[in-house]
Amino acid sequence: MDAIQAMCTRRSVRKYTEDPVKEEDLRKILDCGRLAPTGVNRQAWRFIVVTDAAVKAAVAEATDYGKFIASAPVVIAVAIGPDAACPNEDSAAAACNMLNAAHALGYGGCWIGSNGNATAERVGKVLRLPAGWKIYALFSVGVPAEEAHREKKRLEEVVSYNGF
């Protein structure tokens, strides 16, 4: 699947089979996150891969809307350090790259809202973040057990030229 097709067909998946994410695929997914654009090229991120069932359960419990991630084979948290010039943008770019890479490799995923809210703080405690680091993105990855069919708005509904 090419990049355009991946971006045009990716949808959030919240149910997964018990099949594992292959290690070589996980490395590709993480590498795509590493290669995302980052403000002033600071690369002030750390990708925390959670595969341990007990840790996934604790992370899931710490979320407001992500209880389902406990059943995903992999959960990835994007932590941003204090040296980041653009923490929101950096984390979003990395997470989008990884979610699109996962989809291109045949996996599903779902981004859990965690930027700057209580979920981020609780998840950060579970993952033992050092001082100054915060969770800015959190998402699950696995082999889809369902086909996502959420319709997207038409291009004409979301694009304006030369002003709103």
Side-chain angles (χ1 to χ4, degrees), residues 89-156:
E89 295 86 346
D90 292 357
S91 60
C96 281
N97 270 18
M98 288 188 272
L99 283 165
N100 284 321
H103 176 59
L105 292 168
Y107 300 100
C110 187
W111 192 330
I112 311 305
S114 59
N115 177 17
N117 61 23
T119 291
E121 191 172 314
R122 291 188 304 263
V123 171
K125 286 179 183 177
V126 170
L127 298 177
R128 304 180 314 274
L129 293 189
W133 285 77
K134 294 181 181 176
I135 298 296
Y136 275 82
L138 179 69
F139 58 94
S140 53
V141 177
V143 176
E146 64 180 3
E147 190 170 333
H149 287 295
R150 186 157 186 197
E151 291 297 320
K152 297 289 186 174
K153 291 182 178 180
R154 294 184 353 259
L155 186 61
E156 295 76 19

Side-chain angles (χ1 to χ4, degrees), residues 22-82:
K22 295 176 186 171
E23 183 62 32
E24 65 264 20
D25 290 343
L26 180 58
R27 290 188 59 81
K28 287 176 188 175
I29 292 165
L30 294 166
D31 205 33
C32 287
R34 177 186 69 85
L35 295 169
T38 175
V40 196
N41 198 29
R42 295 262 172 90
Q43 303 174 54
W45 45 38
R46 184 70 174 227
F47 308 137
I48 302 167
V49 179
V50 182
T51 55
D52 179 85
V55 179
K56 282 189 296 181
V59 168
E61 187 58 34
T63 69
D64 292 325
Y65 303 104
K67 305 303 184 209
F68 66 91
I69 66 175
S71 67
V74 174
V75 173
I76 299 173
V78 179
I80 300 290

